[in-house]
Amino acid sequence: MSSPDSLNKPLWSGRFDSAPDAAMLRFSTSLPFDCRLWRYDIEGSIAHVEMLGQCAILPREETQIIADGLRNLAAQIENGELNFDDASDEDIHSFIERHLTAQIGPVAGKLHTARSRNDQIALDVRLYLKDALRAAQSAVRALQRAFLARAEEHFGAILPGYTHLQRAQPVLLSHHLLAYFWMLQRDFERLEENFARADVLPLGAAALAGTTFPIDRQLVAQKLGFAAVSPNSLDTVADRDHLIESTATLSIIALHLSRLAEEMVLWTSPEWDFARLSDAFSTGSSIMPQKRNPDSMELVRGKAARVFGDLTTLWTLVKSLPLTYNRDLQEDKEPLFDAFDTVISSLQIARGVIETVVFNLEKMKSAAGGGFSTATDVADYLVRKGIPFRQAHEITGAAVRQCETSGRGLEALSLDEWRALDARFDEGVFDAVSVEGSVAARQSEGGTAPVRVREQLERAQALLA
Ligand code: ARG
């Protein structure tokens, strides 16, 4: 689909004597990236022109022709008849208007009544953002579901919990997996809050000050499914908070995924051997035949850097910009799109990894007992016998030292050996030093005992139901 050259001039050429420099045109065009907004641009234009008709700002016959023309354009873009490949328009708005004019004639020029590209782009981005936030939410949910399924599957399995990357206390594998479920739950809620603030109609702010035409913004909000209408036209065309806060949420998601990724890289290394990634999410080496690399998780870890970069771009872009619209703001789209694309695909990869990873439960279990991980349980056991915690800590420390010199674990000490350390020890100590006993004893709310983790599982299931 082509159109006469005379139509392919900037929308604002009237007050200029000559065309822009070719390099300037290339430098300033946003079409290569904002073409992605075409559907929203057309949807917004249809709502706008219908409102112009309903408010008797334009004759109904004309608004009908324009709306039909816009629907035709959408169908043509949809089926590939019309594409953006060789277009040299300044932006998506100019592209749509040029083709609309070519197809329905000069009446197309009436579409821009009571509107500016400043409120138009603000609208397009909000429509995009609402869809993108919903898409991110469903990707988060899918990953939560994967964690929940694996937590149910391996209920009862034990592995070491770590602090300082040193074995600390044994925990349930389900408990560890659900830790990610709750991180993602907060992310989901943050996305919901971002959605509420994105869900405000900017159209009608016009260039910056509103319009002289008797438009009905509530009607447009209704047609486009916005919950509210923005209260201040100056703020409306200058505001990019909703992009920034959404990208901040995406950055937190990327941060969470990078922690997961790092753990998977550790767990799948032969040194840990806690897990094996499925073939589908591993890659080989071009030189070392034995290698089985966790590239999927390394890339997820690496892509977090990119998302943080997008956030940095966005708020640096808006910092110190005077009110209201400034062309700098055109630079907001690429980082925004990149952040959503990157985080949604990272969530999808993480989900695939979690769904298919094979856990080495024996290895986890034997590591859980190592490193004197039940020492706190021995101290707690003494406390229950009335010994002050500080003293119990001291006595247990001596037991650890004794085991270290004889190269044994706490579970290997005989009752006589315990008694030699302190006469108050009895058979109960064997329960305290076992990993199962240790885990089962941590019944405080939110703790790792199976009864508590069962509760957690039920809460998590209810959230996803
Ligand atoms: N391409 C512009 C952007 O993305 C659209 C708004 C242009 N407005 C203007 N007055 N030049 O921000």
Side-chain angles (χ1 to χ4, degrees), residues 12 28-30 33-34 90-93 116-118 121 125 240 325-333:
W12 35 262
S28 63
T29 181
S30 55
F33 49 88
D34 69 15
E90 203 182 354
D91 51 32
I92 184 61
H93 325 303
S116 155
R117 281 183 295 164
N118 297 350
I121 190 62
V125 171
R240 294 296 182 274
Y325 179 81
N326 297 273
R327 189 66 180 273
D328 314 45
L329 293 176
Q330 177 169 298
E331 293 292 315
D332 62 0
K333 281 155 219 70

Side-chain angles (χ1 to χ4, degrees), residues 147-157 171-176 178-179 181-182 439-440 442-463:
F147 275 115
L148 189 54
R150 300 312 302 268
E152 281 163 352
E153 177 189 344
H154 290 303
F155 191 80
V171 295
L172 286 192
L173 175 58
S174 306
H175 196 51
H176 192 106
L178 286 175
F181 178 95
W182 297 113
V439 167
R442 291 206 156 62
Q443 295 191 7
S444 53
E445 195 175 341
T448 199
V451 280
R452 290 305 196 173
V453 176
R454 176 56 66 200
E455 277 173 11
Q456 246 191 91
L457 275 170
E458 281 159 14
R459 258 181 84 181
Q461 278 156 351
L463 274 170

